[in-house]
Amino acid sequence: GMSNEIGAIEKAVIWPQYVKDRIHSTYMYLAGSIGLTALSALAVSRTPVLMNFMMRGSWVTIGATFAAMIGAGMMVQSIPYDQSPGPKHLAWLLHSGIMGAAVA
């Protein structure tokens, strides 16, 4: 860059391995969430029963969607990751799926 200090690219070479691993896992979770949300939206858009429910536009549909998104998000945040990542990953998959259904 324009400054006399070393930049982020130069610092990346000297980062410890655990920092690189955390960055890698963060972006993998992000990519997985985006991919799962897209797949869920595609599945809902191709299922007539679910698409009819989501396209009603009633307050019940909107309320149920919001409640499901908030509830799934709270469930993901309430499960500890340290003991066993399995339940947290399942809750994360459910939350991403609900987000995809809401997007569709």
Side-chain angles (χ1 to χ4, degrees), residues 10-32:
E10 291 85 13
K11 287 181 185 178
V13 175
I14 59 174
W15 281 344
Q17 187 59 40
Y18 75 93
V19 173
K20 293 177 186 178
D21 292 342
R22 286 181 182 176
I23 291 171
H24 179 263
S25 66
T26 298
Y27 282 108
M28 290 304 291
Y29 279 117
L30 176 65

Side-chain angles (χ1 to χ4, degrees), residues 48-62:
V49 174
L50 291 174
M51 196 62 182
N52 286 336
F53 177 73
M54 296 304 286
M55 292 301 291
R56 282 186 191 162
S58 69
W59 286 106
V60 173
T61 304
I62 294 168

Side-chain angles (χ1 to χ4, degrees), residues 25 29 76-86 88-89:
S25 66
Y29 279 117
V76 171
Q77 291 179 1
S78 69
I79 298 172
Y81 188 80
D82 298 335
Q83 297 166 351
S84 173
K88 183 138 185 136
H89 286 158

